[in-house]
Amino acid sequence: MSRFSDQRSPLAEAPIGIFDSGFGGLTVARAVIDQLPYEDVVYLGDTARTPYGDQPIADVREFALECLDHLVDQGVKMLVIACNSASAAVLRDARERYAVPVVEVIMPAVRRAVAATRSGNVGVICTTATATSQAYDDAFTAAPQVELRTVACPRFVGFVEAGITSGDELRACAEDYLASLRAERIDTLILGCTHYPLLTGVISYVLGDGVTLVSSADECAKDVYATLTRLGLIHDRPRTARHRFWTTGHPGDFAGIGRRLMGGGMIDEVEQLAAVPRI
């Protein structure tokens, strides 16, 4: 029997650890907090080395494991890799390296897209690193009825990190990136980077209401809920949860952008992780 299956396990009192290369994973954190309001959360954004999407997979793997090691040192009961680039680079290693369950963003989104598509014509937009890894192509091999079209949209991350979610420049960028997907008449689009749910307005405007948008962030949060429930680790009693935020960058910058993205007072204080140990 799994050591996670005891409903009274003291591990249930531990926080959920969420990791991302920067701010995009806050969409996952927000979804987790909404679905699991009594759970403590520790979030680490590696903003000093973001974006991961433009970096070699080997570097992404190294950076991600350094940050995940730090979260494990905080005594978390689960790791959430809230970054598509990191999920593609490090998921297998993470599940072998850590004793706690590891949830990522790719497979939950794929399952939802397969269920949602009517025509089997599915698109995914993602970072360059995720596109190069072909992680989504691999994930869709179990659904041969789906025709997948992948487009890397690296500039989207920069817009979100700058707090820009509307405007003429962003719209022109979206029209350029999404033109081929419009021409291919996809009916379902995976937002294959956790920054991208913050751009659903412009993406939906360009593609039209007939295209179903699948948020990897929302689907990841559902997987967190299901995994904690299955393993008997869910905190289901009313309580005031604690949310801690760490960044490898500047705490003030993280807090300012994070509050805009999360809405209001969810981010009270940000701690700086001045250096992460080398592997």
Side-chain angles (χ1 to χ4, degrees):
M1 179 178 293
S2 167
R3 72 183 179 89
F4 300 120
S5 61
D6 181 2
Q7 186 70 32
R8 306 305 300 174
S9 169
L11 196 58
E13 304 298 315
I16 298 168
I18 302 177
F19 158 69
D20 182 55
S21 62
F23 299 100
L26 291 173
T27 60
V28 175
R30 177 64 185 262
V32 167
I33 291 168
D34 286 346
Q35 293 183 34
L36 295 162
Y38 307 136
E39 296 288 350
D40 293 338
V41 168
V42 180
Y43 181 97
L44 172 55
D46 191 11
T47 53
R49 298 183 292 198
T50 196
Y52 280 9
D54 300 331
Q55 303 193 47
I57 290 291
D59 289 348
V60 172
R61 176 186 178 278
E62 180 181 6
F63 299 161
L65 289 176
E66 289 171 354
C67 292
L68 292 169
D69 283 351
H70 176 75
L71 287 175
V72 169
D73 289 344
Q74 304 305 303
V76 300
K77 65 182 175 184
M78 166 184 277
L79 289 169
V80 181
I81 305 176
C83 173
N84 283 258
S85 299
S87 293
V90 82
L91 178 61
R92 182 174 298 178
D93 291 329
R95 286 182 169 158
E96 292 177 354
R97 186 182 183 96
Y98 306 115
V100 297
V102 180
V103 172
E104 48 83 41
V105 287
I106 293 175
M107 281 306 302
V110 168
R111 289 194 295 266
R112 177 59 187 147
V114 170
T117 184
R118 305 175 301 280
S119 66
N121 203 1
V122 175
V124 58
I125 55 175
C126 56
T127 66
T128 302
T130 300
T132 301
S133 74
Q134 296 190 314
Y136 277 96
D137 301 79
D138 292 343
F140 271 104
T141 56
Q145 74 276 20
V146 170
E147 183 75 23
L148 183 66
R149 294 169 172 83
T150 302
V151 175
C153 304
R155 290 185 62 202
F156 277 172
V157 172
F159 281 108
V160 172
E161 297 277 326
I164 299 170
T165 57
S166 62
D168 292 342
E169 184 181 2
L170 174 60
R171 186 171 66 252
C173 180
E175 288 173 347
D176 181 51
Y177 279 149
L178 303 175
S180 63
L181 297 177
R182 289 185 62 184
E184 296 290 351
R185 298 183 181 277
I186 63 165
D187 73 354
T188 304
L189 178 69
I190 294 176
L191 307 179
C193 173
T194 50
H195 288 73
Y196 296 175
L198 297 160
L199 302 178
T200 53
V202 67
I203 292 169
S204 184
Y205 176 82
V206 171
L207 290 179
D209 293 338
V211 176
T212 299
L213 302 184
V214 175
S215 165
S216 58
D218 288 343
E219 299 309 315
C220 176
K222 293 175 186 176
D223 214 34
V224 170
Y225 185 103
T227 301
L228 289 179
T229 299
R230 184 175 67 253
L231 299 178
L233 295 177
I234 203 161
H235 218 315
D236 55 1
R237 298 175 184 174
R239 62 190 290 274
T240 300
R242 184 185 184 194
H243 306 142
R244 299 174 61 196
F245 296 88
W246 291 77
T247 178
T248 57
H250 191 279
D253 293 343
F254 186 97
I257 295 176
R259 285 173 186 140
R260 287 204 303 273
L261 300 184
M262 292 281 281
M266 283 193 178
I267 299 179
D268 294 324
E269 184 178 347
V270 179
E271 301 170 68
Q272 185 175 35
L273 183 61
V276 286
R278 308 302 291 180
I279 292 176

